[in-house]
Amino acid sequence: MVAGVNVPVLIGPVPLLTVTSLTVNEGYQVARIAGSRLAQLVSPTTRTITVEAVLVGRSRLLVKKGLEALALTSRALAPATAPLMNLAGLPVVCGMTISLDMQITGLRFVQSNQKRDAIDVSITLEQVPRSSLTAVLGEALDLALASGIAAAPSVSSMVPVRRQLGGVL
């Protein structure tokens, strides 16, 4: 990555250029072992992604309509709107994850007097696996992203702060 370059978060074909936060929640199924107090994590159950962004510029209403169209897309309408969606859900591509098979489950748009030329958007997506092949492909892409980020030099401006004992003893 090059410092100063704005890399968008992609939700399907819709780029979000001004993302303020992105949260990935993962849940896991717990099974009790019969006759024991022990439990074991047996499989992942849910993955949700929440994106908070600001839609700015002249295209803000077009991006809003694009997100609404993606949210309304059902499996029956998927081949007409995006031919590959009958095989996989919405891909979400960002610096933290590449997740296939996502579906928008919530959209919230807010416009205020303080930001008349901008729209705050909150998007909630849930993973809805369509096939085991796309689930494996999504995990492979996510692993490739993690490996690539680990190998790339960091552009973070955050500098670790030394711990100091400031006469607290």
Side-chain angles (χ1 to χ4, degrees), residues 25-86:
N25 291 314
E26 296 181 352
Y28 298 92
Q29 183 178 3
V30 177
R32 298 274 176 214
I33 298 174
S36 173
R37 295 186 325 219
L38 300 175
Q40 179 178 356
L41 296 175
V42 291
S43 66
T45 56
T46 59
R47 174 183 285 174
T48 59
I49 298 176
T50 304
V51 181
E52 304 285 333
V54 181
L55 307 181
V56 294
R58 293 180 181 200
S59 64
R60 66 185 175 276
L61 293 176
L62 293 174
V63 173
K64 177 183 177 284
K65 286 299 177 189
L67 291 170
E68 289 172 341
L70 290 174
L72 291 173
T73 302
S74 68
R75 287 190 74 147
L77 296 174
T81 56
L84 293 178
M85 279 188 62
N86 59 350

Side-chain angles (χ1 to χ4, degrees), residues 2-169:
V2 178
V5 174
N6 186 13
V7 178
V9 170
L10 294 174
I11 298 179
V14 177
L16 298 175
L17 299 174
T18 314
V19 173
T20 56
S21 72
L22 186 131
T23 305
V24 178
N25 291 314
E26 296 181 352
Y28 298 92
Q29 183 178 3
V30 177
R32 298 274 176 214
I33 298 174
S36 173
R37 295 186 325 219
L38 300 175
Q40 179 178 356
L41 296 175
V42 291
S43 66
T45 56
T46 59
R47 174 183 285 174
T48 59
I49 298 176
T50 304
V51 181
E52 304 285 333
V54 181
L55 307 181
V56 294
R58 293 180 181 200
S59 64
R60 66 185 175 276
L61 293 176
L62 293 174
V63 173
K64 177 183 177 284
K65 286 299 177 189
L67 291 170
E68 289 172 341
L70 290 174
L72 291 173
T73 302
S74 68
R75 287 190 74 147
L77 296 174
T81 56
L84 293 178
M85 279 188 62
N86 59 350
L87 301 175
L90 291 172
V92 175
V93 180
C94 62
M96 188 186 322
T97 185
I98 295 176
S99 296
L100 304 179
D101 294 335
M102 301 302 290
Q103 183 64 46
I104 295 174
T105 58
L107 280 174
R108 183 185 61 157
F109 298 101
V110 177
Q111 190 171 28
S112 66
N113 280 336
Q114 291 79 21
K115 295 192 276 185
R116 290 185 181 184
D117 293 335
I119 300 170
D120 292 325
V121 61
S122 177
I123 307 160
T124 304
L125 301 107
E126 186 172 329
Q127 189 172 33
V128 184
R130 310 237 195 231
S131 73
S132 59
L133 176 63
T134 57
V136 169
L137 180 60
E139 289 302 319
L141 289 171
D142 203 25
L143 181 61
L145 173 70
S147 300
I149 293 294
S154 176
V155 295
S156 175
S157 61
M158 295 177 61
V159 178
V161 178
R162 287 181 174 218
R163 292 183 181 221
Q164 297 177 354
L165 296 175
V168 187
L169 300 174

